[in-house]
Structures are given as C-alpha cells and as structure tokens.
Amino acid sequence: MEQTALRPKPMPGREPEGAAPATGSGPSRPRPHAARRRGRRLLNVLLAGFTGVVLVLSGIGLGAMGAAVLGKGGRFDPRGWQHMPSRPGPTPVAAPSAPAAATLGVQVMDARKPGAVVVGLHVPGPAQAAGLVRGDVLLAFGATRIDTAADLVRAVARTRPGSKVRLTVRHRSGGYEQLTLVPALAA
C-alpha cells in the first residue's frame, strides 16, 4: 500500500511528473473569459485616468476663477467696489473704525447648571493671568449674572479693553472665588 502523505504534490495548474496530460484541461487550452477581463481592466484604468484628469483640471479652473475674482488685492470685499473713485486723484480718507473689542482669552460653553464652563484658555491671555483654569464655571462678570455662554459673550462685548472686571468663579472642586481680570484688545 502506498503512503500518500509522503508523495510530493504538484503545483496548482501543473500536472504531476510522469502523468499523462488529461484531455480538455491544462494550461494549453485557452481561457475564454481572460480576454474579456483584460478588456475590463484596461477600460477601468482608462476611465480612472480620465476622471483624475477632469478633477485636476476642474480644480485648476476653480483656482484660476478665484484668483480672477480676488484680483491683486488678495481680499474679497464687495463693499469696496461701491466706493471706488471714478477718476484718478487723491485717495479718500479712511472712515473711523469700530470701537475696539475686548477679549478674555477663553473658550466657553454652556454648563448644565447656570454659568459658562471654561473649556479652553489662550496662553498667554487675560484669563490665564487672572488664574482661571479649564473646568471653572463663570457665574458673574462684573454685575452681570452669567447663565449661558451667550450671556458672557454679550457682557464681554460691552466692556472696554483695559478696564478691570470682577469675575465670580466656581472651581471644579466646588469652591467659589472672585478674581480680577483685565480684558485685552481683541486682534
């Protein structure tokens, strides 16, 4: 009796040595679907290349259109088009700018209870210099009670940069503290 486990096995697609080739199978017979697969692969490659070229060219077109709209000024300002002088001459004097805005240098969001919780600090910044840390809840800004983050934004917008403001803060540990903060000029 012959042991099959010790006999070497042929590679897939090849016939064992010494065996007679079977009729109707083997590598000599052409595969009918191989040509169709090659044609599909070629079509897919060409289609992918064409799509890539179209996307690249449309991106270049959009960039060129944006450059044409922005012009050499580098900034898109439709309000400036209305005030352009019609004849050459001296440039008009700039109108006085809006009053300076104040900033605390914090990022806040609504707390579950009344107040605005500090989720981020600008370092260096006025809030960091005053002693605020992430997780603190702002309850009062001067005489204004803070129930939401929007209340804090409105209160800060009403203050002048450089003026001292008293903050009532509830720390993450549960303790309350009053801090003095000097809002900075928003850039």
Side-chain angles (χ1 to χ4, degrees), residues 35-50:
R36 250 188 270 158
R37 277 191 229 133
R38 275 193 301 269
R40 278 193 217 136
R41 284 187 198 136
L42 180 62
L43 183 65
N44 284 341
V45 167
L46 289 175
L47 185 63
F50 177 74

Side-chain angles (χ1 to χ4, degrees), residues 15-31:
E15 299 200 16
E17 295 175 12
T23 57
S25 68
S28 62
R29 184 174 179 211
R31 296 182 184 168

Side-chain angles (χ1 to χ4, degrees), residues 95-101 161 185-186:
S97 62
L185 185 66

